[in-house]
Amino acid sequence: MSTLLKLFSPSDIRTLPLPEGAFRPAPAPNPLPNMDVINQGQGDVRSLIRPNVKQPEAPSVSAWEHGTLLTLPEWLARDGATSDAPGGIVLMPTDDPLALAGHLDGLAVIAVEFAKFNDGRGYSIATLLRSRLGFKGEIRAVGDVLIDQLFAMARCGIDSFALRGDQDVAAAKRAFESFPAVYQWAADERDFVLANNANLERAAA
Amino acid sequence: MYIYNAIDQSIVDARVKQFADQTERYLSGRISEDEFKPLRLQNGVYVERHSPLLRVAIPYGLLSSRQLRMLAQIGRTYDRGFGHFTTRQNIQFNWVKLEEVHKILADLASVQMHAIQTSGSCIRNVTTDHLAGVAHDERVDPRPLAELMRQWSTLNPEFAFLPRKFKVAFNGAVEDRAASEVHDLAFDVYRDEAGEVRLTVKVGGGQGRTPRVAPVIKTCLHWRDMLSYTEAVLRTYNRWGRRDNIYKARIKILVDALGPERFGEEVEQEFAHLQGGPATLAASELDRMTAFFGAPPYQSASSGDQDEARHRLADPRFNAWVKRNVAKHKRENYGAVTISLKPLGVAPGDATSDQMDAIADLADRFSFGQIRVSHHQNLVLADVARSDLWALYQALEALGLSEPNVGLATDIICCPGGDYCALANAKSIPVAAAVQETLAAKAQDIGTLAIKMSGCINACGHHHVGHIGILGVDKKDEEWYQILIGGRTDTKTALGQIVGKAIPREAVAPTIERLTDFYLKNRNNGEIFIDAVERLGKVAFQEAAFQSDTVQTSPSPQIQEAN
């Protein structure tokens, strides 16, 4: 069992239970950190470096609460075929979101795969969906969706979060208020510090 | 310098709270080791060979005396009474405890400092010329743009998990003192004929495993579009940069793979959507930032420097110090003084807490309360009246900080190496010490010579751009060293080439001495080492240094960097 957070604003977050297949299950519990190794240093780590990083092959979710999530090629192959049911797809980190230009009709949810939490491609994908394609539906983070990345995900226009099975829901809700202000524009269109003409005009008004 | 407003402060304070919470969840087992690692790195915390390390951001190398005193206090309270200034104008503390880091961050926040993005696969601390604002050859002071870049990149949500680290540098002068062309993204700042500030953009420079000089991909960029264009570069990199191999993940590999022209076209396509958009800076924004970096209340030019001339005649060491450590200032009656952190017997770039406090006092007395960190790992008092030079020199001498060796063979850039770093192939500090000792007596005669030492191919010690570079390599668990010559970053950037076979540690200093002896024997009048290398060729130097029977060389034909 896991929880979907739906973000309307940092003070209005609704939760929804997710069915199997719609979220990544909890991994094995963490061992407590070994403070001897940390505060005494970890010695020579050269032999521990694994340069090759395994790339994701398949999405970590196949479903959402209203049915299955199609892949991008499957969705594009439908070629405008209409359906009464709201559509949902999942984008892999290597997918080009701009391929959806002109194919957004009937799409209620676009899941963005975070195969690993430190693969940042999903942030650009969500940004392009919002700012370039003007997608107004739900953008959902799926996969390694962890508390400490929620703030940045939300800033990139992601507005629902299929938390990984082990994540603390109360702490996750608090994460959207991590910072009281932000410096730069992002796809959430939140007010930001650096002055462009538009926000100077807004400030003057 | 830039002064935080209430919003800046609230962001940094929130970061301290966030990291304290993350640390607590990690220590109680609620965040895994792997998941905590990038979180701590993005707050400058490494776990090194013998201890955790905290790297503190010094944006474009600029510090107030109050901030330097806080760094001294942190060194005393949480470390072993010293800190280490880095080749990216930052400072790191080598002996901190993980559970205390959030307390250090809170102390830093109290003086408008932080450790945000000093490591990790994100946009790192922005660097620039340590003489920005005072350099005689400056076209435009790059610090206002660097501060805008600092703010834009701070906690930038889209680019928090790039394929690899991303370093930005600015240069606004004729001589590039920021080594900008070996950065992931470099801006050359200038004024066009209409007086508008514009930028030449270079992408994909860097050292390490695949050293590259950054090619130009955009000219005449208006400063208002700087952030939009940077966003286009980073989005292109974030989407298309390699993530399947950490050794091929830097932007230079992508630029190489596509070629600079194709890469530039990709960026241009993205930029076409962003130009004029929300990241476009308001016309007033540069003025607002520039106001923070205005000239201090300089004395009028009338105060003479007769004393300086008299003391220089009477005291040859003071004369050498003025010649080497005092850079020309845009105002004739001022000088920019470099305090060398490279005396014999000290790890290059280290300063004790007591020295930091004393330098903060001297900054208050002689240089409007500000200090800069240079990427050469020295400290700079940039606005000293020439009539104060003698008094400042005497004060520095009393502190053991008057080494007159800036830009000389003993002013070595050196990474922490195998004494500290968990990635090092070989020790750096003892090698630098041996070279310093061997060349100390001849250093003034040799003149300008940049020696740069790295303990592994990651090149934190900039060995690729040293006139002489030293690289530590590992050969069957033994430490060996390769020598490079011909690198430079000044008015032109060039990468050095490996000469000769790898040599054992004890052979490094004698080999370098043979290089400098060859130079002394063959130089033309007024010709510095690197120019002699370019005139005579690297082969001539290699033969002079490596033909001797006394050099024990590696059994392998050549230890090359593993690609």
Side-chain angles (χ1 to χ4, degrees), chain B residues 48 142 226 271 416:
Chain B
E48 286 299 2
M226 174 180 79
F271 180 54

Side-chain angles (χ1 to χ4, degrees), chain B residues 440-461:
Chain B
K442 301 178 188 172
Q444 297 289 345
D445 186 21
I446 295 167
T448 298
L449 171 56
I451 302 180
K452 308 191 180 190
M453 157 90 229
S454 306
C456 78
I457 54 175
N458 291 315
C460 298

Side-chain angles (χ1 to χ4, degrees), chain A residues 130-131 154-157 185-192 202, chain B residues 278:
Chain A
R130 289 282 185 235
S131 67
R155 289 229 59 211
C156 293
W185 176 88
D188 63 350
E189 302 286 348
R190 176 178 171 169
D191 285 348
F192 58 96
R202 199 163 44 233

